[in-house]
Amino acid sequence: MAQQKATNITWHEGSVTREERERLLGQKGVTLWMTGLSASGKSTIAVVLEQMLLHRKKHAYRLDGDNIRHGLNKNLGFSAEDRAENIRRVGEVAKLFTDAGVIAITSFISPYKKDRDAVRANLKPGEFIEVYVKVSLEAAEKRDPKGLYKKARAGQLNGFTGIDDPYEAPEKPEVVIDTETMKPEVAAERLLRHLEECGYLAA
Amino acid sequence: MAQQKATNITWHEGSVTREERERLLGQKGVTLWMTGLSASGKSTIAVVLEQMLLHRKKHAYRLDGDNIRHGLNKNLGFSAEDRAENIRRVGEVAKLFTDAGVIAITSFISPYKKDRDAVRANLKPGEFIEVYVKVSLEAAEKRDPKGLYKKARAGQLNGFTGIDDPYEAPEKPEVVIDTETMKPEVAAERLLRHLEECGYLAA
């Protein structure tokens, strides 16, 4: 036990607890894991949800290809092994943010059930919300904002999910968002409501 | 541009900015990087500092061997290559927390200047505070709370920093803490003061 000179506060041994951090933030840490085909709308929904949460004074942070593939996972490629390691690392980082009391929103295709289930198993019950961002291959291919499906069809991209690599849809996701019938802002509102109703927006 | 049905708020394209998150939290994101020999006192100081920050309603999170070596970096060993990758990944995770507006406190021996400098270079100026937790090898070996120095001297541990692997002291650390003359709570107070004086505890 150590005493702070100035104020006589007693600093306890051991770290600040998860509960103390959550009380400070007025929310519970959780990982909101978006999975779906390329162009399904994962990132768009994540961006809007993050804004809605900020507006509610909640602390969220997005993990996506932009800040992971160029940083933590820049030494990984697209082999089956590297894809699994990519998702494993994202899962571990999301777990740290969750432990820090943050609402971690991940948007990765994460096509394999096995990899997603490993992330779920690594978190405590209630800390992992799997969001299936559902779209037909036809609709995703029609959107194709980055021209990736076109390239994959032309044989310029190998192992592209939906074209020459499988997408394994979640069997029991906590939330399903069909982006052929639901706009991003409506989808984000639905996720916000889910977080609220399940108690994540209060400590 | 999308309209939220209920309140007519306009959600902008692009993500929530760093500044918006920092205003919400009332602080600036930063990485406080503690480096020093095993038993120098890094973790003890980190634990007390985290408590002091929480007491000030600031959001800090510690990254250390406990939550990194058993999680994100559990597939790394202690070869020179793996040690470098260990520090690289910790640096990338600290960067994400910093970007999230959190005060990330890392406590790893991180013995090589090159690895620490790479973490610094990967962050923006002012986002990396190198804290040299200084202790003589003699004093650290005398403390030896986990019996690691004893094992290393007995040849049961290889490549142990200070014994048969070098510790490269920082040349220009932002803060030096000499734990032979300063108690952990005083050291933590000094770091808290540094954070305050340099403007990190306000948005």
Side-chain angles (χ1 to χ4, degrees), chain B residues 7 13 20-21 31 33-34 38 45 47 68 72 77 80 97 99 120 122 133 139-140 142-143 158 190 194 202:
Chain B
T7 61
E13 288 189 40
E20 286 175 304
R21 272 195 296 273
T31 292
W33 190 279
M34 320 260 264
S38 180
I45 296 168
V47 162
I68 292 290
L72 180 65
F97 274 95
D99 186 49
R120 182 191 290 270
N122 193 31
V133 183
K142 206 170 159 189
R143 293 176 189 168
N158 291 321
R190 176 154 173 195
H194 182 88

Side-chain angles (χ1 to χ4, degrees), chain A residues 12 15 51 61-62 72 99, chain B residues 12 15 51 61-62 99:
Chain A
H12 58 77
S15 70
Q51 289 179 42
Y61 191 68
R62 289 186 306 111
L72 179 65
D99 186 50
Chain B
H12 57 79
S15 69
Q51 289 179 43
Y61 191 67
R62 288 185 306 110
D99 186 49

Side-chain angles (χ1 to χ4, degrees), chain A residues 1-196:
Chain A
M1 300 284 257
Q3 296 279 321
Q4 190 193 32
K5 241 162 106 184
T7 61
N8 252 10
I9 291 161
T10 302
W11 306 111
H12 58 77
E13 287 190 40
S15 70
V16 165
T17 66
R18 168 89 173 261
E19 289 66 32
E20 287 175 303
R21 272 194 296 273
E22 292 183 337
R23 269 201 303 276
L24 171 68
L25 295 169
Q27 64 185 49
K28 289 189 189 76
V30 67
T31 293
L32 204 79
W33 189 279
M34 320 259 264
T35 170
L37 291 174
S38 179
S40 58
K42 300 180 295 299
S43 294
T44 309
I45 296 168
V47 162
V48 178
L49 176 61
E50 191 187 22
Q51 289 179 42
M52 288 179 176
L53 284 166
L54 181 84
H55 187 73
R56 294 277 299 264
K57 301 201 183 301
K58 300 303 167 190
H59 190 199
Y61 191 68
R62 289 186 306 111
L63 299 170
D64 59 23
D66 285 342
N67 58 15
I68 293 290
R69 275 278 181 192
H70 301 293
L72 179 65
N73 291 356
K74 70 180 174 190
N75 54 2
L76 296 176
F78 291 89
S79 68
E81 197 185 356
D82 279 8
R83 277 175 189 235
E85 173 67 3
N86 178 50
I87 295 305
R88 187 193 73 80
R89 290 190 199 167
V90 171
E92 292 287 0
V93 173
K95 183 179 179 175
L96 292 168
F97 274 95
T98 298
D99 186 50
V102 177
I103 298 165
I105 308 170
T106 69
S107 36
F108 293 86
I109 297 172
S110 48
Y112 307 133
K113 190 177 177 303
K114 189 182 162 192
D115 297 340
R116 295 191 308 262
D117 285 352
V119 175
R120 182 191 290 271
N122 193 32
L123 286 156
K124 296 198 189 82
E127 287 183 352
F128 183 83
I129 301 174
E130 192 172 29
V131 180
Y132 177 24
V133 183
K134 193 178 174 183
V135 68
S136 67
L137 179 60
E138 295 66 35
E141 204 168 347
K142 205 171 159 189
R143 293 177 189 166
D144 203 13
K146 299 175 195 161
L148 296 175
Y149 285 98
K150 205 176 166 188
K151 278 190 185 168
R153 289 287 186 198
Q156 295 166 326
L157 284 176
N158 291 322
F160 194 78
T161 300
I163 305 298
D164 58 346
D165 211 63
Y167 177 76
E168 300 170 2
E171 286 167 12
K172 290 183 177 178
E174 274 76 6
V175 185
V176 180
I177 300 285
D178 184 335
T179 61
E180 288 183 70
T181 59
M182 198 181 271
K183 289 188 175 174
E185 63 270 32
V186 180
E189 268 178 44
R190 177 155 172 195
L191 291 172
L192 184 71
R193 212 161 53 232
H194 181 88
L195 289 172
E196 178 149 51

Side-chain angles (χ1 to χ4, degrees), chain B residues 131-155:
Chain B
V131 180
Y132 176 23
V133 183
K134 194 178 172 183
V135 68
S136 66
L137 178 61
E138 294 66 35
E141 203 167 349
K142 206 170 159 189
R143 293 176 189 168
D144 204 14
K146 299 174 194 162
L148 296 175
Y149 284 98
K150 204 176 167 187
K151 277 190 184 168
R153 289 285 185 198

Side-chain angles (χ1 to χ4, degrees), chain B residues 116-181:
Chain B
R116 296 190 307 263
D117 285 352
V119 175
R120 182 191 290 270
N122 193 31
L123 286 156
K124 296 197 188 83
E127 287 183 353
F128 183 82
I129 301 174
E130 192 172 27
V131 180
Y132 176 23
V133 183
K134 194 178 172 183
V135 68
S136 66
L137 178 61
E138 294 66 35
E141 203 167 349
K142 206 170 159 189
R143 293 176 189 168
D144 204 14
K146 299 174 194 162
L148 296 175
Y149 284 98
K150 204 176 167 187
K151 277 190 184 168
R153 289 285 185 198
Q156 294 166 328
L157 283 177
N158 291 321
F160 195 77
T161 301
I163 305 297
D164 58 346
D165 211 62
Y167 177 76
E168 300 171 1
E171 284 166 14
K172 290 183 179 177
E174 274 75 6
V175 185
V176 180
I177 300 286
D178 184 335
T179 61
E180 288 183 72
T181 57

